[in-house]
Amino acid sequence: MAVLGRSSTFGVSATLKSASPPRARLLWVVALQLCVAVLLLVFHNVQKPALLGRKLPLPASARRYSLDSPSSGLLKTNSSVTSRPLPQRSSIQQKNTTACFKLLLIILFNLPGHYDNVAFLRKFFEPTFKHIVFYGPRPVTEGVRPKVFPDPVGFLQHNTVLEAVKDNPNYDGYLWMGDDVWLNYPQILSTMDLNKVWIYNKDFFTHSLNNPDPAHEGWQWNEAFSLPALRANWNKIPKIFRDRVPTALGSPDMIIAAPSDVAYLPKRFVKDFVSIVTPLQDVMFEIVVGSALRLIAKPDEKQLFHDPQYFWYDGKRGHVWDFWNSNVSFMHPVKLGSQKLRDISIKWLTTVKQKFNFSNDFFKC
């Protein structure tokens, strides 16, 4: 048999000349398959970037939107968002490492069965956060304040946020989170502006406030605590904020429902936030907070969390450590009841503090 050479196409022609007819036919088949495989590989590599950038259309009744950038005021259809570069440490953060900035961390429990995590959460946050409050349903344990508006699944969580803000009026900023959130606070405090509203913006749902959509499937727009409750109370919201809907939310009657398990509110926006949230105590948390935070702040007064990770019902919850990296702002849900996850969490925290050269004395008061 001839040796495969560079002068032959894939080195096959020289081989076929010295092969018997049956064997030659077999080699032709193999050569043809090889050529097809190579062509498919080349085509795949050329087309891959285009396929990755393509936005697949969603039904109008289940549209998802995302801001293209922290400064963008336009909402565009997007089912997945490309990771943004991690912001650099801002001048305001450098100032706050030496100035007195009083931040209140609010941790919200939905179920009393998780109160055994309170001690660990204190250990995790107290080196940096000087002021922490826990809220949860009765019967409460030591160090946990009872919710005025208890709701076992967190549908009305904004009432507890409102309660915490009113109970603690003398703070420069309010950061709230669920008890099942792994918060990468060294990264957040090193890259986020404490004078801006912080929101989740990777993807979220929208719906018309006034137009019924009987064909809508998925999510929970037609539940009593969703659109029906919002429509019944919409005019109780101050007109100044209702008038902002077209520019802030993208359409004259558009409403947003966005995950709000973590959010931050500077003191200068508290009054506006309270005026929107107070009339909507019976409306779903994601709708109230998702819309309110976008209505009270202009585009350049909002900042997006960097690459937050949500684990829905796709099996990822059982191995969240596979999705962590030091640039992820937070992960949810992460149940910290197991010693394994607690140990991993402390290890992660140590890694991030080293990366960002983060001091436990970030807040001086």
Side-chain angles (χ1 to χ4, degrees), residues 104-115 117-118 121 125 132-138 140 143-168 174-183 259-264 273 277 285-286 289 310 332-336:
L104 181 66
L105 176 62
I106 305 165
I107 300 180
L108 308 170
F109 285 86
N110 289 333
L111 299 170
H114 296 296
Y115 288 156
N117 289 334
V118 169
L121 290 171
F125 289 107
I132 307 174
V133 290
F134 297 89
Y135 283 83
R138 291 182 171 90
V140 296
V144 178
R145 303 184 187 188
K147 289 182 176 181
V148 174
F149 295 88
D151 56 303
V153 290
F155 284 156
L156 305 177
Q157 197 83 282
H158 54 288
N159 293 303
T160 305
V161 173
L162 193 62
E163 181 183 346
V165 170
K166 290 181 176 180
D167 287 348
N168 304 274
Y174 300 86
L175 174 62
W176 69 80
M177 55 171 276
D179 68 289
D180 55 353
V181 170
W182 191 89
L183 189 70
S260 304
D261 302 276
V262 183
Y264 171 73
F273 181 78
V277 174
F285 177 52
E286 284 82 358
V289 176
Y310 266 82
H332 172 77
V334 179
K335 304 296 185 181
L336 295 169

Side-chain angles (χ1 to χ4, degrees), residues 212-226:
D213 190 357
H216 179 80
E217 296 181 0
W219 216 61
Q220 305 172 77
W221 291 110
N222 295 320
E223 299 289 345
F225 50 76
S226 186

Side-chain angles (χ1 to χ4, degrees), residues 2 30 42 56 121 123 131 198 221 223 289 305-306 310 327:
V30 172
V42 171
L56 299 179
L121 290 171
K123 176 183 177 182
H131 309 280
W198 302 348
W221 291 110
E223 299 289 345
V289 176
F305 288 110
H306 189 271
Y310 266 82
N327 291 334

Side-chain angles (χ1 to χ4, degrees), residues 257-275:
S260 304
D261 302 276
V262 183
Y264 171 73
L265 186 70
K267 183 177 182 177
R268 66 188 179 117
F269 293 106
V270 166
K271 183 179 179 180
D272 290 347
F273 181 78
V274 170
S275 67

Side-chain angles (χ1 to χ4, degrees), residues 27-304:
L27 287 173
W28 273 115
V29 171
V30 172
L32 181 61
Q33 290 176 338
L34 182 60
C35 290
V36 171
V38 171
L39 289 173
L40 287 175
L41 181 61
V42 171
F43 177 80
H44 174 75
N45 287 336
V46 170
Q47 293 295 316
K48 189 175 182 180
L51 292 173
L52 287 175
R54 187 176 301 168
K55 304 297 188 296
L56 299 179
L58 294 173
S61 58
R63 290 171 296 181
R64 284 186 171 185
Y65 288 83
S66 252
L67 293 173
D68 284 348
S69 70
S71 61
S72 172
L74 299 176
L75 296 170
K76 296 184 178 181
T77 306
N78 198 351
S79 58
S80 62
V81 177
T82 304
S83 299
R84 296 174 292 107
L86 190 67
Q88 297 298 312
R89 189 177 181 87
S90 65
S91 59
I92 190 170
Q93 303 309 115
Q94 296 173 0
K95 176 182 177 182
N96 286 333
T97 58
T98 56
C100 177
F101 188 97
K102 288 184 65 177
L103 184 145
L104 181 66
L105 176 62
I106 305 165
I107 300 180
L108 308 170
F109 285 86
N110 289 333
L111 299 170
H114 296 296
Y115 288 156
D116 56 351
N117 289 334
V118 169
F120 174 76
L121 290 171
R122 286 196 181 278
K123 176 183 177 182
F124 189 83
F125 289 107
E126 277 189 345
T128 295
F129 294 90
K130 314 299 183 186
H131 309 280
I132 307 174
V133 290
F134 297 89
Y135 283 83
R138 291 182 171 90
V140 296
T141 189
E142 182 180 357
V144 178
R145 303 184 187 188
K147 289 182 176 181
V148 174
F149 295 88
D151 56 303
V153 290
F155 284 156
L156 305 177
Q157 197 83 282
H158 54 288
N159 293 303
T160 305
V161 173
L162 193 62
E163 181 183 346
V165 170
K166 290 181 176 180
D167 287 348
N168 304 274
N170 299 317
Y171 286 87
D172 298 309
Y174 300 86
L175 174 62
W176 69 80
M177 55 171 276
D179 68 289
D180 55 353
V181 170
W182 191 89
L183 189 70
N184 189 350
Y185 66 84
Q187 181 255 66
I188 290 173
L189 294 176
S190 296
T191 60
M192 304 283 276
D193 191 332
L194 286 167
N195 202 39
K196 294 183 178 182
V197 171
W198 302 348
I199 59 174
Y200 171 89
N201 212 69
K202 193 171 184 179
D203 59 350
F204 47 85
F205 294 101
T206 66
H207 199 287
S208 168
L209 173 65
N210 300 309
N211 298 322
D213 190 357
H216 179 80
E217 296 181 0
W219 216 61
Q220 305 172 77
W221 291 110
N222 295 320
E223 299 289 345
F225 50 76
S226 186
L227 273 178
L230 181 64
R231 287 167 177 157
N233 294 282
W234 180 251
N235 288 331
K236 297 177 183 178
I237 298 174
K239 185 175 182 298
I240 185 175
F241 300 113
R242 287 185 277 127
D243 289 344
R244 292 181 184 178
V245 169
T247 54
L249 305 186
S251 176
D253 70 342
M254 181 177 289
I255 294 302
I256 284 175
S260 304
D261 302 276
V262 183
Y264 171 73
L265 186 70
K267 183 177 182 177
R268 66 188 179 117
F269 293 106
V270 166
K271 183 179 179 180
D272 290 347
F273 181 78
V274 170
S275 67
I276 295 177
V277 174
T278 300
L280 304 179
Q281 67 178 40
D282 297 322
V283 183
M284 192 173 186
F285 177 52
E286 284 82 358
I287 296 176
V288 175
V289 176
S291 296
L293 293 180
R294 289 161 174 81
L295 290 174
I296 62 176
K298 299 175 183 177
D300 61 354
E301 295 173 329
K302 297 188 287 281
Q303 194 166 358
L304 312 183

